[in-house]
């Protein structure tokens, strides 16, 4: 079927008229919208909302008291300051401090969740100029980790020289601790210059490693441990990362073995304390593992000298690392950095730590009760256990007689072909 020529022209004319009408209507609406916007911009009535900074957030607040977070405020308009945060965490349930390994949960990811939840984070991680002092492994704890980044500030012109201001700064410790899980806490904060770096500005790090004395020879371990003091090549006391680390010389400035106040059923809790400018990957746990062998009497004190002599011992003997759970990054030291904590936040911290300590003590009591309820061991089983311990001591393979790991040179040579394969032509 075909339409007549006259009918087609009438239809086209009707469509053109409709389009012209719609265009005119759009112009009328645009004019009305512009008029309304002009009226709103000059309106000073009580219903008008204005942007303000409230409790760490940019909000739109009306005179009636209603408010909502405004995420559209440009970053360059937000007042911010560069700060260092001192952090404590109990590492048992975490897959290390760093979130880069993409294993969750990590301490770092929990900290950034809290920063975002409290609206203290300005921009993303890159824009915050974030840095961390140490990258502790899975299970390792800390009472003095330090990070640095830009955070939102209440002050228009924050200064690192003085905190005296007509308007007080946000209580960063209290705000963040309300958003963090129970096993992570901010202990203090400090204003720092923009060129501060939590890793490279650190002058010293101190670690503690807790252990039960049992039958260990503390005197031998102390003599051996003091051989670590000074500048040495620690490639036989670490896990090598030849892709990123090419120098394995580190300086240890302090080492001590000492008893703690705690004891359990006649067994004394003790600690290794070691301080240095920096430590390698797994260095402390490797050092402790060898010290335990010396304390057990299966290695001599002189094995430390042999392993530190990389010309005589260019390849690391294979041995297991000491457990990660008793290791604590106790403190990170910096020049001219004084951490601040309000009296209210400090009281909350003390209350929280006391509560957590009592909770863990209750858990310990439950395990002790379970131990008491175990079936008694007969005399034959006791003698068998003693014999097994003697056999284990007898089959100990001396460190210097064990198979070795590849040397630094061998690892580097093996890495080069891989790097060449991945390089674009």
């Amino acid at each position: 079927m075909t339409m007549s020529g006259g009918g087609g022209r009438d239809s086209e004319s009707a469509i053109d008229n409709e389009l012209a009408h719609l265009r005119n209507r759009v112009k009328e609406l645009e004019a009305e919208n512009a008029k309304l916007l002009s009226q709103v911009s000059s309106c000073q009535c009580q219903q008008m909302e204005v942007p303000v900074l409230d409790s760490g957030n940019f909000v739109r607040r009306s005179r009636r008291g209603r408010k909502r977070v405004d995420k559209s405020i440009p970053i360059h308009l937000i007042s911010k300051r560069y700060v260092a945060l001192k952090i404590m965490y109990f590492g048992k349930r975490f897959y290390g401090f760093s979130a880069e390994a993409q294993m969750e949960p990590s301490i770092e990811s929990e900290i950034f969740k809290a920063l975002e939840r409290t609206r203290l984070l300005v921009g993303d991680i890159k824009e915050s100029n974030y840095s961390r002092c140490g990258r502790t492994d899975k299970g390792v704890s800390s009472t003095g980790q330090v990070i640095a980044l830009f955070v939102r500030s209440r002050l228009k012109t924050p200064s690192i020289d003085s905190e005296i201001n007509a308007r007080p700064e946000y209580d960063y410790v209290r705000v963040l601790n309300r958003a963090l899980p129970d096993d992570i806490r901010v202990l203090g904060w400090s204003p720092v210059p923009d060129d501060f770096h939590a890793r490279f500005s650190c002058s010293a790090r101190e670690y503690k490693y807790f252990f039960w004395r049992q039958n260990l020879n503390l005197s031998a371990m102390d003599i051996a441990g003091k051989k670590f003091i000074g500048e040495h090549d620690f490639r036989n006391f670490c896990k090598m990362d030849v892709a990123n680390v090419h120098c394995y010389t580190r300086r240890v400035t302090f080492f001590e073995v000492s008893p703690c106040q705690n004891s359990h059923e006649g067994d004394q809790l003790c600690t290794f304390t070691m301080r240095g400018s920096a430590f390698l990957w797994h260095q402390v746990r490797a050092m402790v593992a060898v010290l335990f062998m010396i304390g057990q009497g299966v290695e001599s004190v002189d094995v430390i000298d042999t392993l530190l002599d990389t010309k005589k011992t260019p390849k690391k003997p294979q041995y297991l690392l000491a457990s990660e759970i008793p290791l604590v990054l106790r403190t990170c030291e910096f020049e001219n950095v004084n951490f601040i904590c309000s009296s209210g936040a400090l009281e909350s911290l003390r209350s929280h730590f006391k509560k957590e300590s009592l909770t863990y003590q209750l858990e310990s009591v439950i395990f002790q009760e379970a131990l008491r309820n175990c079936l008694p061991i007969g005399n034959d089983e006791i003698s068998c256990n003693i014999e097994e311990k003697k056999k284990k001591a007898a089959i100990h393979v001396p460190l210097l007689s064990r198979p070795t790991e590849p040397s630094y040179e061998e690892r580097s040579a093996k890495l080069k072909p891989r790097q060449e394969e991945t390089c674009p032509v």
Side-chain angles (χ1 to χ4, degrees):
M1 181 183 293
T2 59
M3 296 180 64
S4 65
R9 284 193 294 273
D10 292 342
S11 177
E12 290 176 1
S13 176
I15 292 172
D16 289 341
N17 290 335
E18 184 67 21
L19 286 173
H21 174 72
L22 290 173
R23 289 192 187 99
N24 290 332
R25 182 57 182 157
V26 167
K27 289 179 180 178
E28 289 174 1
L29 290 172
E30 288 176 345
E32 289 179 14
N33 187 48
K35 184 178 179 181
L36 288 171
L37 287 173
S38 176
Q39 291 174 352
V40 168
S41 64
S42 60
C43 179
Q44 300 294 327
C45 64
Q46 291 186 351
Q47 300 300 322
M48 187 64 186
E49 294 181 336
V50 293
V52 296
L53 189 62
D54 179 81
S55 299
N57 301 329
F58 270 107
V59 300
R60 295 270 180 184
R61 182 190 294 274
S62 70
R63 297 290 177 90
R64 288 182 177 180
R66 287 179 293 181
K67 55 185 179 181
R68 59 182 174 82
V69 175
D70 187 353
K71 298 182 180 179
S72 64
I73 302 295
I75 292 175
H76 69 275
L77 295 179
I78 300 174
S79 180
K80 62 182 181 179
R81 73 184 312 166
Y82 201 48
V83 303
L85 299 176
K86 186 177 182 180
I87 297 169
M88 170 273 166
Y89 49 87
F90 187 63
K92 186 176 181 180
R93 76 176 179 95
F94 296 104
Y95 286 93
F97 184 83
S98 173
E100 292 171 0
Q102 297 181 339
M103 295 287 285
E104 294 298 331
S106 68
I107 294 103
E108 205 167 57
S109 63
E110 293 293 338
I111 291 170
F112 273 94
K113 285 177 187 176
L115 286 165
E116 290 172 353
R117 200 173 295 130
T118 56
R119 308 292 181 188
L120 288 175
L121 185 65
V122 181
D124 57 23
I125 295 179
K126 289 183 179 179
E127 291 171 317
S128 69
N129 196 25
Y130 172 75
S131 63
R132 58 175 174 254
C133 184
R135 184 176 174 172
T136 52
D137 298 322
K138 175 184 176 182
V140 177
S141 301
S142 177
T143 57
Q145 173 73 280
V146 173
I147 65 171
L149 76 167
F150 278 106
V151 293
R152 197 184 298 263
S153 174
R154 177 175 279 167
L155 312 179
K156 290 185 178 180
T157 55
S159 170
I160 66 169
D161 298 321
S162 175
E163 286 303 307
I164 300 174
N165 198 287
R167 190 180 187 187
E169 184 56 280
Y170 293 119
D171 191 341
Y172 295 118
V173 176
R174 197 163 196 167
V175 170
L176 284 170
N177 285 342
R178 286 173 176 171
L180 285 166
D182 288 341
D183 43 8
I184 304 177
R185 279 295 178 270
V186 176
L187 302 180
W189 72 276
S190 174
V192 290
D194 291 356
D195 61 353
F196 176 87
H197 194 284
R199 179 184 173 190
F200 300 117
S201 299
C202 182
S203 58
R205 298 162 174 85
E206 183 175 293
Y207 282 90
K208 278 184 176 288
Y209 192 98
F210 294 93
F211 62 96
W212 294 105
R213 179 170 184 171
Q214 299 178 331
N215 294 319
L216 295 170
N217 186 336
L218 296 187
S219 177
M221 290 193 295
D222 189 56
I223 293 169
K226 284 184 166 50
K227 291 179 178 290
F228 290 126
I229 296 175
E231 193 170 86
H232 303 284
D233 190 322
F234 283 94
R235 67 182 64 193
N236 290 327
F237 292 94
C238 72
K239 184 173 181 178
M240 283 195 201
D241 179 16
V242 295
N244 300 302
V245 181
H246 308 292
C247 177
Y248 292 85
T249 300
R250 296 293 185 271
R251 177 179 290 278
V252 174
T253 57
F254 178 83
F255 180 92
E256 183 181 64
V257 183
S258 57
C260 301
Q261 294 180 350
N262 309 63
S263 62
H264 176 67
E265 294 185 354
D267 199 357
Q268 183 74 45
L269 185 67
C270 300
T271 180
F272 295 117
T273 302
M274 51 197 81
R275 189 182 302 124
S277 54
F279 290 86
L280 297 161
W281 190 13
H282 290 170
Q283 181 181 338
V284 175
R285 291 170 61 194
M287 292 163 64
V288 169
V290 177
L291 289 174
F292 279 159
M293 296 180 202
I294 295 169
Q296 292 163 2
V298 295
E299 292 288 345
S300 71
V301 170
D302 296 331
V303 75
I304 301 295
D305 296 313
T306 306
L307 292 173
L308 288 175
D309 188 345
T310 55
K311 291 183 179 178
K312 185 184 292 186
T313 315
K315 297 183 179 182
K316 176 189 173 186
Q318 294 179 2
Y319 58 88
L320 295 176
L321 295 170
S323 171
E324 69 278 8
I325 298 300
L327 180 59
V328 179
L329 173 59
R330 182 182 172 275
T331 185
C332 303
E333 299 175 6
F334 301 86
E335 293 183 6
N336 302 320
V337 175
N338 299 306
F339 290 99
I340 304 164
C341 183
S342 69
S343 58
L346 181 58
E347 185 61 33
S348 296
L349 279 171
R350 286 174 174 164
S351 176
H352 175 77
F353 290 144
K354 184 177 180 180
K355 178 184 174 184
E356 291 298 300
S357 177
L358 290 174
T359 300
Y360 280 105
Q361 287 181 53
L362 284 174
E363 292 179 3
S364 174
V365 169
I366 294 171
F367 282 107
Q368 290 174 40
E369 187 65 25
L371 182 62
R372 281 190 288 269
N373 287 338
C374 285
L375 294 174
I377 300 175
N379 292 331
D380 292 340
E381 293 180 56
I382 292 173
S383 60
C384 287
N385 289 339
I386 294 172
E387 289 299 322
E388 282 186 19
K389 288 181 180 179
K390 288 181 179 179
K391 285 179 181 178
K392 286 181 180 179
I395 62 173
H396 173 80
V397 178
L399 280 173
L400 301 179
S401 300
R402 297 186 183 190
T404 58
E405 297 179 3
S407 66
Y408 171 77
E409 290 74 20
E410 290 171 343
R411 292 174 187 267
S412 298
K414 193 175 181 179
L415 185 66
K416 284 181 181 178
R418 293 181 186 175
Q419 291 176 334
E420 290 172 359
E421 287 175 8
T422 56
C423 287
V425 178

